[in-house]
Amino acid sequence: MNFEISDLIPASPKEIYKAWLNSAAHSEMTGGVAKVSAEVGGTFEAWDGYIEGRNLVLEPSKRIIQQWRTSEFTEEEKVSLLEIFFEEENEGTRITIRHSELPEHGMQYKQGWVDSYFNPMKEYFGNK
């Protein structure tokens, strides 16, 4: 199971990329506690441990690729693949999330990206 979703965030690709990979800024921009690494191979947790994974590819201000899972995944379910792309537009940055290799219950995360990331990020960066 997989999906792709995108939204326009009022900030530069550099600002968003930097915030995504910084524990304090990630926590502030989403509203959930995060412990993240800015290193390839580094692990991360977000939303108070609900999300966890590992960084696979980091291209500054361009894309992040991660292994990703939530506490709702069973032990038997493999990690999913999360690809985050940052593309500069006139009013900010188009973030596109391509989420693949999800378990059967994975479509719930499509709305989760809107509610738990895109909407809080618009407010966070819009107030800066």
Side-chain angles (χ1 to χ4, degrees):
M1 180 167 299
N2 60 72
F3 62 82
E4 184 172 300
I5 188 169
S6 72
D7 208 340
L8 187 63
I9 306 299
S12 71
K14 182 178 181 178
E15 290 173 298
I16 299 170
Y17 179 91
K18 187 176 176 182
W20 200 289
L21 296 176
N22 176 282
S23 296
H26 193 114
S27 298
E28 285 180 36
M29 82 176 177
T30 64
V33 175
K35 296 176 190 166
V36 299
S37 167
E39 303 290 326
V40 172
T43 60
F44 65 88
E45 287 184 4
W47 281 101
D48 306 304
Y50 173 71
I51 298 168
E52 64 178 31
R54 178 176 310 280
N55 295 327
L56 301 176
V57 175
L58 299 174
E59 287 184 41
S61 306
K62 296 200 182 303
R63 72 179 179 148
I64 297 170
I65 301 178
Q66 300 173 322
Q67 290 179 325
W68 189 98
R69 69 184 294 129
T70 70
S71 57
E72 295 178 356
F73 281 44
T74 66
E75 290 293 321
E76 296 79 33
E77 292 172 330
K78 295 179 181 179
V79 296
S80 65
L81 185 65
L82 179 67
E83 298 172 272
I84 309 158
F85 300 93
F86 306 93
E87 188 175 355
E88 191 165 6
E89 288 192 8
N90 290 339
E91 302 84 26
T93 299
R94 168 81 43 199
I95 295 184
T96 301
I97 291 181
R98 190 175 302 144
H99 206 157
S100 60
E101 301 176 27
L102 286 159
E104 287 185 23
H105 58 87
M107 285 308 285
Q108 68 179 337
Y109 301 117
K110 188 172 187 177
Q111 187 61 44
W113 285 111
V114 173
D115 297 340
S116 300
Y117 276 83
F118 292 158
N119 290 342
M121 288 171 72
K122 286 185 213 176
E123 185 175 329
Y124 175 78
F125 288 108
N127 290 330
K128 288 198 152 231

